[in-house]
Amino acid sequence: MCDCCKGHELPKTYDHSEVEQKWYAFWEEHGYFSHKNNAGGEPFSVVMPPPNVTGQLHLGHAVDNTMQDILTRWHRMQGHQTLWVPGCDHAGIATQAKVEEHLAKDGVSKYDLGREAFVDKVWEWKHQYHDRIVRQLKMLGSSCDWDQERFTLDEGCNDAVNEVFVRLFNEGLIYRGTYIINWCPKCQTTISDIEVEHSDHAGHLWYLRYPLADGTGYVTVATTRPETMLGDTAVAVNPADERFSALVGKKIMLPLMNREIPIIADDYVDMEYGTGAVKITPAHDPNDFEMGLRHNLPQITVIGKDAKMNENAGAYQGMDRDECRAAVVKAMDELGLLEKIEDITHAVGECYRCGSVIEPLISPQWFVKMEPLAKPAIEAVKNGDIRFVPQRFEKIYLGWLENIRDWCISRQLWWGHRIPVWYCGDCGEVICQKEEPHTCPQCGSAKLTRDEDVLDTWFSSGLWPFETLGWPDMEEMAKLKKFYPTSVLVTGRDIIFFWVARMIFTGLHFMEEKPFSDVFIHGLVLDAQGRKMSKSLGNGIDPIEIIEQYGADPLRFMLITGNTPGNDFRFQMERLEASRNFCNKIWNASRFVLMNLDDYQPGAGELKYSLADKWILSELKAAAASISANLGKYELGEAARAVYDFTWDYFCDWYIETAKPRLYGEDKQERYTAQTVLVQVLDNILRLLHPFMPFITEEIWQALPHEGETIMLAAWPQADAMPDYPAEAEIMRLNMEAVRAIRNIRAEMSVQPGKKVELIFATDTAAEGLKQGEMYIKALAGANSMTILPANSGKPEQAAAAHIRGVDIYLPLKGLIDLDKEIARLDKEIANMDKEIKRLEGKLANQGFLAKAPEAVVAGEREKLAGYTEKRQSLLARVDELKGLN
RNA sequence: GGAGGUAUAGCUCAGUUGGUUAGAGCGCUCGCCUCACAUGCGAGAGGUCACAGGUUCGAAUCCUGUUAUCUCCACCA
């Protein structure tokens, strides 16, 4: 090999850890990840779903980032100007909770530190975890543009958040109001509706008797939360319910509290459920809250933010809500007002973070008015401007947005974007602006205090596609213009509501343009038993350990094969091993190629393509076309499988074997041609595989003779530009069939693997083709001679037979043939043919089929029938001959 | 209470607009350390495509229902 080619022999074993580190560093040093490469190319941009900065990468991230990396690398190789923006999310509640937990170990609370010092602590924490996440992303091979890395709480994002908040405020789309919200007593903050998780719990339905104030009887109400009766301000019945029609308008004397409350009528009440009469607690139930507004009922808060009964709870003040429940039931029972207790299961709302039971509370909070924002977000998906892959997720998305309620965005936390609102201590003016005001614009007072709350984390991550591209900084407009809207968003289906929907409506509102064209949704990674991976089950798998043991390439390959977009899939070590074995296969095939290039000089000779060359080049073209087409459809698994099959089955199992006799033969031109095709096909395999397995492909590619610094920027194989030779490929396939048939006979007749045999073919139609393939048939089927006779002329006696398209194959086995065994073998094959022939004859006798099926299909079936019939006759004739000998 | 996913070989899963003798990996059987690879090579066995109807010349594929299983959504106290 010439000096210009850096070719060298590869070590016997592939050391992934050394190779991976080496090439990642190489790529980074040379700036290959930068969006400045391929300048002028069609833009392709992706923003990384920012991992929570307090966490570490789990397999979900690994899938997500592998998919993004595959798409990014694929586009980069196509000459597109790619930008993949990495970043982390500050993850308000999660991070704050972690740091609080950490501090608690030393007996320190956030209040001991104070807001500023506490936030400093969280930043320290953030840096530590951030570095770990970046390291993990790099280990995975992520080719993101690290110079563009962002953090949802960095200055730029803060600027974007303030800009958005102020604009929405001025547009009347953000408002502050006192409504019933979801309160987490443990996290001590509000959470939004989607952060409440509902799960079924065994509970009770208590039937409580509420005496009428006039002493004429009582109304029985059923409740799952007796403790809230202390805050009841009405009993409601359905207006159509005749059982209660006489009672509407009367008063109840609320037991334990001795307050009079009205009996009201409201359509909301379900006559079928419970007793048909419902106690109404506007301050502690969202439905009751609504009803309270409709009927002007007082709101009596009896449970505080600590989930304990407050001063309005009378004798129960200070009790925990559960404790109070027991006490109330007991007291009612003692008063003879407990009618019965029913066991039920019902959904209980819990905090997604800590699992505490959510307490609905009335509290002043900030909200985003959703209806005007949701409308265009719905429209953009309905009209196909934004496309979900797989499409079924569109329904989920639309269903949510169509029933959306206003979004509570204020959080009683310290870690996050502080709400840009100040209150005037003198005149009460509410000042919302990006810069801190010094005096009240209304009264000039300097007594201004800033709102204590921070924003929901998703408020900032919802701006991710444009804030990371520089918005609203005017100096970044060129980049924004080039890469917005981004090309595709890759994410798990679990955050369609939390994140995807919000990016869409903020993008449409502020950029007046969708944030991305495609939303590529993937499923969850489950454990080998099909369970969700979770901390509590302890069944989580650390991708880093996998990478250390097997390498990033096998992990990546395993994560995207063997499943369909959007479906969950199981993590199985067997599949990981299969991927690892594939790496090994490529490694060794490459070693084989390289160790046969000692005298090879690219372009230095005349090519003389043989059958096998033309066949593999034709198959390469087909594989390249299939891989590109599948990548274009986000069928990553199918694309990867196509590379795998082509590489293993066609290239390794067949082509390399056909190359051997030519590499080791006398003919210099044949050797040179085989070398050229081996190198060429391997080079294409590496490029086709590179998006999936970036490391091993770079390692091998660097050892091959070619131009270019890195496979990352090598041209993606374009099927359109590749040659194919359908006729020769077909002849090669016939030869391959012959080889398989002979190998089958050898195995079934227990011919020693090393033993060379003589072959006799009888054919009129395929003689030329077999002659062309003689070298391969001999080498691959273990033959030392091949005789081609006219059809029906052979009939050697001591021989095993087979038949393939127009060819009788005989394998003379003097003394080795057990006639009965051979007849039985042939009979089995004949029976097989009989079955198929019968099926096809039936089909072709069907007038409907002949009349309505496309001609090509009918012709195809006829051809098949002819083939089977011919084979059957040939084998039958052979059986007759053998029987005659018997 | 709604909505959706899944059901194909012993296991885990592919099968892209209806037409292939229904495929892969692992496992299993038989034979091989054949000078790239035993993380391998060659040859096999193994499936009434959950069940019942329907549409069609033709269904694993489309429609309806049933069953099983997973998931999401939901203000029935």
Side-chain angles (χ1 to χ4, degrees):
Chain A
M1 195 184 297
C2 58
D3 289 336
C4 64
C5 317
K6 299 164 276 187
H8 56 79
E9 287 199 4
L10 299 171
K12 175 130 187 159
T13 53
Y14 173 60
D15 177 1
H16 66 261
S17 60
E18 190 195 308
V19 165
E20 290 177 1
Q21 281 171 32
K22 176 180 69 182
W23 292 119
Y24 200 91
F26 172 80
W27 295 330
E28 255 195 309
E29 276 164 28
H30 289 78
Y32 297 142
F33 300 153
S34 169
H35 66 283
K36 289 171 184 144
N37 290 304
N38 291 336
E42 188 184 318
F44 176 83
S45 54
V46 176
V47 290
M48 177 187 293
N52 283 3
V53 77
T54 13
Q56 51 181 312
L57 284 204
H58 55 246
L59 282 173
H61 295 112
V63 174
D64 208 63
N65 285 290
T66 296
M67 287 175 163
Q68 290 169 74
D69 195 45
I70 288 169
L71 294 172
T72 304
R73 285 177 186 271
W74 178 49
H75 281 276
R76 192 184 288 116
M77 288 176 78
Q78 289 177 89
H80 299 161
Q81 187 175 3
T82 58
L83 170 57
W84 179 14
V85 182
C88 285
D89 195 304
H90 68 282
I93 303 184
T95 309
Q96 172 156 343
K98 277 232 168 129
V99 175
E100 278 190 65
E101 227 170 79
H102 182 72
L103 290 173
K105 282 182 195 153
D106 302 328
V108 178
S109 85
K110 65 178 172 183
Y111 302 106
D112 298 336
L113 292 174
R115 186 163 186 153
E116 212 169 306
F118 176 78
V119 169
D120 286 347
K121 269 266 179 279
V122 185
W123 274 107
E124 273 174 40
W125 189 266
K126 177 256 168 188
H127 291 307
Q128 185 185 338
Y129 280 81
H130 163 265
D131 292 352
R132 187 163 82 174
I133 286 173
V134 168
R135 211 161 51 237
Q136 291 173 328
L137 285 169
K138 290 181 176 179
M139 282 178 82
L140 195 64
S142 313
S143 66
C144 30
D145 193 343
W146 290 108
D147 295 338
Q148 300 297 311
E149 187 186 353
R150 298 296 299 274
F151 181 52
T152 55
L153 200 50
D154 66 22
E155 254 178 65
C157 290
N158 188 242
D159 190 34
V161 162
N162 287 336
E163 176 80 20
V164 163
F165 190 98
V166 172
R167 274 171 62 174
L168 288 175
F169 179 85
N170 291 336
E171 291 168 39
L173 294 177
I174 277 185
Y175 62 93
R176 187 169 134 102
T178 301
Y179 296 97
I180 194 150
I181 44 83
N182 308 298
W183 181 263
C184 175
K186 172 115 185 287
C187 300
Q188 283 290 305
T189 180
T190 52
I191 56 176
S192 66
D193 292 340
I194 43 172
E195 288 168 319
V196 179
E197 288 181 348
H198 299 269
S199 64
D200 278 347
H201 284 261
H204 305 286
L205 197 53
W206 285 274
Y207 286 74
L208 304 177
R209 288 176 178 162
Y210 278 16
L212 293 166
D214 60 12
T216 56
Y218 58 83
V219 173
T220 303
V221 298
T223 179
T224 55
R225 299 197 60 194
E227 72 279 14
T228 62
M229 72 171 280
L230 305 176
D232 282 359
T233 54
V235 166
V237 298
N238 191 297
D241 195 335
E242 289 172 9
R243 293 173 296 178
F244 300 108
S245 49
L247 295 177
V248 175
K250 286 195 166 189
K251 301 276 187 199
I252 291 284
M253 178 55 70
L254 183 66
L256 308 182
M257 300 308 284
N258 298 317
R259 268 192 284 115
E260 279 197 1
I261 58 174
I263 298 175
I264 59 173
D266 194 290
D267 286 334
Y268 163 76
V269 180
D270 180 352
M271 297 194 291
E272 309 296 319
Y273 193 86
T275 63
V278 196
K279 60 187 270 320
I280 301 300
T281 323
H284 294 288
D285 181 282
N287 301 310
D288 294 5
F289 177 81
E290 294 294 329
M291 201 187 295
L293 293 183
R294 286 199 289 275
H295 296 269
N296 256 322
L297 300 174
Q299 302 161 342
I300 303 178
T301 297
V302 293
I303 304 170
K305 290 182 170 171
D306 51 2
K308 289 193 169 134
M309 308 311 291
N310 70 5
E311 66 281 4
N312 297 326
Y316 300 90
Q317 181 177 358
M319 281 187 188
D320 180 82
R321 58 187 167 177
D322 294 327
E323 201 184 332
C324 176
R325 176 177 298 181
V328 164
V329 170
K330 184 156 175 268
M332 290 294 280
D333 194 17
E334 283 166 4
L335 290 171
L337 297 176
L338 177 62
E339 194 169 290
K340 61 173 175 175
I341 305 174
E342 244 174 51
D343 290 337
I344 56 161
T345 55
H346 63 138
V348 175
E350 293 160 343
C351 173
Y352 81 109
R353 254 306 298 167
C354 69
S356 307
V357 174
I358 290 303
E359 189 57 52
L361 288 181
I362 293 174
S363 163
Q365 301 290 340
W366 289 94
F367 296 86
V368 173
K369 200 170 186 175
M370 283 308 303
E371 204 207 324
L373 293 168
K375 251 187 190 159
I378 289 167
E379 193 47 34
V381 168
K382 274 193 174 165
N383 69 19
D385 198 23
I386 297 173
R387 204 166 60 99
F388 278 72
V389 180
Q391 203 179 2
R392 66 172 186 273
F393 291 105
E394 286 177 6
K395 258 181 277 177
I396 295 174
Y397 165 90
L398 291 172
W400 186 70
L401 275 183
E402 280 163 357
N403 298 299
I404 190 132
R405 301 204 289 173
D406 286 355
W407 174 19
C408 175
I409 49 171
S410 42
R411 297 288 178 275
Q412 289 64 53
L413 304 169
W414 289 351
W415 175 245
H417 292 281
R418 192 147 173 193
I419 290 176
V421 166
W422 289 261
Y423 305 101
C424 175
D426 283 328
C427 72
E429 177 72 1
V430 175
I431 306 148
C432 175
Q433 60 185 55
K434 287 177 79 174
E435 305 304 327
E436 176 160 11
H438 299 292
T439 55
C440 173
Q442 195 66 26
C443 69
S445 163
K447 276 175 65 184
L448 301 179
T449 48
R450 185 164 187 176
D451 195 298
E452 290 292 324
D453 290 353
V454 302
L455 290 163
D456 182 359
T457 296
W458 300 100
F459 191 89
S460 49
S461 40
L463 316 178
W464 196 238
F466 48 96
E467 67 185 353
T468 55
L469 294 175
W471 190 88
D473 185 343
M474 293 310 285
E475 285 177 18
E476 299 272 18
M477 280 304 141
K479 190 168 73 184
L480 190 66
K481 196 159 185 268
K482 175 153 217 139
F483 293 108
Y484 189 97
T486 62
S487 309
V488 56
L489 179 82
V490 181
T491 195
R493 56 146 212 261
D494 48 331
I495 53 175
I496 292 176
F497 306 145
F498 282 102
W499 194 45
V500 180
R502 282 158 180 172
M503 286 189 287
I504 292 175
F505 68 68
T506 59
L508 289 169
H509 191 75
F510 290 96
M511 305 300 296
E512 296 178 359
E513 170 76 279
K514 63 188 172 184
F516 28 70
S517 306
D518 295 346
V519 182
F520 180 31
I521 300 287
H522 62 255
L524 270 44
V525 186
L526 309 174
D527 72 4
Q529 280 85 50
R531 300 170 305 178
K532 247 188 202 174
M533 289 189 179
S534 71
K535 275 193 189 132
S536 52
L537 278 172
N539 59 349
I541 287 172
D542 181 0
I544 301 313
E545 279 177 30
I546 299 292
I547 290 173
E548 281 167 356
Q549 198 181 341
Y550 290 87
D553 291 330
L555 174 65
R556 291 166 60 111
F557 200 80
M558 177 270 185
L559 288 175
I560 57 114
T561 46
N563 88 307
T564 315
N567 285 1
D568 293 348
F569 65 102
R570 301 183 188 199
F571 186 94
Q572 288 180 296
M573 292 310 279
E574 294 79 14
R575 294 197 27 234
L576 185 65
E577 280 166 16
S579 297
R580 189 266 324 266
N581 294 351
F582 182 48
C583 275
N584 185 254
K585 191 72 187 174
I586 296 158
W587 183 253
N588 280 292
S590 305
R591 281 181 61 225
F592 172 81
V593 172
L594 287 162
M595 65 180 60
N596 284 291
L597 294 185
D598 45 298
D599 61 340
Y600 176 63
Q601 297 216 344
E606 285 277 308
L607 290 173
K608 187 172 77 180
Y609 284 149
S610 75
L611 266 191
D613 297 323
K614 291 181 174 175
W615 166 76
I616 194 71
L617 291 171
S618 303
E619 295 292 4
L620 173 65
K621 181 189 177 88
S626 155
I627 293 157
S628 292
N630 280 304
L631 284 172
K633 290 187 291 185
Y634 297 104
E635 293 276 356
L636 307 190
E638 278 296 286
R641 196 174 61 91
V643 191
Y644 181 98
D645 289 347
F646 176 78
T647 305
W648 202 311
D649 295 348
Y650 290 166
F651 186 65
C652 294
D653 287 347
W654 287 97
Y655 186 73
I656 285 184
E657 296 307 319
T658 67
K660 283 178 181 173
R662 289 180 291 156
L663 288 172
Y664 306 148
E666 297 297 311
D667 189 322
K668 287 268 185 278
Q669 196 181 10
E670 280 188 351
R671 176 173 165 85
Y672 172 75
T673 304
Q675 287 172 326
T676 304
V677 177
L678 280 169
V679 169
Q680 187 187 333
V681 175
L682 178 58
D683 196 291
N684 275 280
I685 284 173
L686 295 173
R687 279 180 283 139
L688 290 167
L689 187 60
H690 179 257
F692 306 96
M693 293 188 163
F695 295 109
I696 193 171
T697 50
E698 180 77 288
E699 173 73 4
I700 299 167
W701 192 83
Q702 292 286 347
L704 288 177
H706 50 61
E707 307 268 303
E709 294 170 9
T710 173
I711 193 170
M712 276 187 66
L713 297 173
W716 178 254
Q718 297 293 339
D720 292 346
M722 294 180 183
D724 71 339
Y725 311 90
E728 288 91 340
E730 200 48 38
I731 295 171
M732 184 64 200
R733 287 187 198 103
L734 181 82
N735 283 298
M736 290 162 69
E737 263 183 70
V739 169
R740 275 191 217 101
I742 296 157
R743 282 171 171 175
N744 176 281
I745 292 172
R746 292 183 60 123
E748 298 221 3
M749 297 286 113
S750 303
V751 177
Q752 296 254 314
K755 183 174 165 62
K756 296 286 181 193
V757 296
E758 294 175 2
L759 295 174
I760 299 169
F761 297 99
T763 178
D764 289 336
T765 54
E768 187 52 33
L770 291 170
K771 221 177 182 67
Q772 287 179 45
E774 178 166 352
M775 178 197 284
Y776 311 131
I777 294 174
K778 279 183 176 167
L780 302 188
N784 51 17
S785 82
M786 236 176 88
T787 311
I788 301 171
L789 305 171
N792 303 317
S793 61
K795 309 193 182 178
E797 288 171 4
Q798 291 279 307
H803 182 90
I804 59 164
R805 298 183 276 170
V807 185
D808 286 324
I809 302 174
Y810 299 101
L811 210 169
L813 294 167
K814 220 176 211 170
L816 288 175
I817 288 289
D818 174 336
L819 282 184
D820 291 333
K821 199 173 158 194
E822 174 67 359
I823 289 169
R825 191 177 70 84
L826 295 173
D827 277 342
K828 195 178 137 201
E829 194 55 27
I830 290 165
N832 199 7
M833 286 302 107
D834 283 341
K835 202 180 78 188
E836 287 307 316
I837 287 167
K838 205 172 160 195
R839 192 179 64 81
L840 285 173
E841 280 176 346
K843 204 168 184 180
L844 287 163
N846 183 335
Q847 288 308 312
F849 175 69
L850 296 176
K852 296 192 180 174
E855 252 176 68
V857 172
V858 177
E861 299 295 286
R862 285 217 171 94
E863 206 174 307
K864 263 189 267 174
L865 179 60
Y868 295 153
T869 307
E870 176 198 298
K871 179 169 178 179
R872 177 174 174 275
Q873 279 167 352
S874 163
L875 297 180
L876 265 180
R878 182 63 184 169
V879 168
D880 284 345
E881 285 166 30
L882 294 179
K883 279 184 176 158
L885 290 172
N886 223 350

